[in-house]
């Protein structure tokens, strides 16, 4: 069974969204997971904007990168500069992809209503990238 892994800095937002979309888009024929260079709390605004698309990531847990899972993946997608620059060692059979996706958690506003549009833009960019990857790999 093919395997796809999304890695990011804290596995709290972008990689969680990518995992959620990939599970919906790739389906049960693929193993899909995500991890971070460190584990942080799941970002509640990421959960909120994914729910707007009908994808529930509220029970996901932030985890550190599983090097065994990474080593057995067909594709590993880094979603942050930090993850790409600190990409763990992997066999040459692992295809590495880098999607430079801005971190919506850095958006500033007086309240959630002011930053949610940034989360939605990032979410939609990730959805397009996951859909394009699926179209490319079948």
């Amino acid at each position: 069974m093919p395997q796809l892994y999304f890695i990011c800095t804290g596995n709290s937002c972008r990689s969680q969204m990518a995992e959620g979309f990939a599970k919906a888009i790739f389906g049960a024929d693929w193993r899909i997971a995500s991890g971070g260079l460190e584990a942080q709390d799941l970002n509640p605004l990421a959960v909120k904007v994914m729910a707007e698309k009908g994808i529930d990531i509220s029970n996901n847990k932030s985890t550190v990168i599983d090097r065994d899972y990474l080593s057995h993946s067909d594709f590993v997608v880094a979603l942050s500069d930090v993850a790409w620059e600190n990409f763990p060692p992997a066999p040459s059979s692992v295809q590495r992809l880098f999607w430079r996706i801005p971190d919506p958690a850095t958006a500033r506003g007086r309240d959630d209503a002011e930053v949610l549009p940034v989360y939605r833009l990032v979410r939609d960019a990730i959805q397009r990238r996951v859909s394009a990857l699926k179209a490319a790999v079948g």
Side-chain angles (χ1 to χ4, degrees):
M1 179 178 292
Q3 193 162 292
L4 175 59
Y5 202 30
F6 296 96
I7 64 171
C8 206
T9 308
N11 190 226
S12 62
C13 189
R14 292 169 285 182
S15 53
Q16 293 286 348
M17 288 193 269
E19 177 184 349
F21 278 125
K23 285 180 175 177
I25 293 167
F26 279 73
D29 293 338
W30 282 72
R31 268 180 250 166
I32 312 284
S34 66
L37 297 173
E38 58 187 46
Q40 298 176 353
D41 291 335
L42 187 61
N43 185 304
L45 295 181
V47 173
K48 181 179 181 70
V49 298
M50 289 299 288
E52 293 172 355
K53 291 282 191 169
I55 298 175
D56 182 7
I57 63 168
S58 63
N59 292 318
N60 289 16
K61 301 289 182 224
S62 177
T63 61
V64 296
I65 294 169
D66 179 328
R67 290 179 188 260
D68 184 58
Y69 189 95
L70 183 142
S71 293
H72 292 94
S73 293
D74 297 281
F75 299 92
V76 178
V77 180
L79 292 125
S80 72
D81 291 336
V82 174
W84 183 250
E85 292 162 4
N86 295 282
F87 204 102
S92 60
S93 61
V94 175
Q95 185 170 346
R96 300 171 187 213
L97 304 170
F98 178 40
W99 296 350
R100 181 169 276 134
I101 305 283
D103 185 357
T106 63
R108 297 293 170 243
R110 290 187 305 262
D111 55 26
D112 290 352
E114 288 190 3
V115 297
L116 276 171
V118 175
Y119 279 81
R120 290 180 183 116
L121 286 171
V122 168
R123 173 203 62 200
D124 295 347
I126 291 170
Q127 182 180 21
R128 284 190 300 274
R129 296 263 185 134
V130 171
S131 294
L133 179 60
K134 173 62 172 148
V137 302

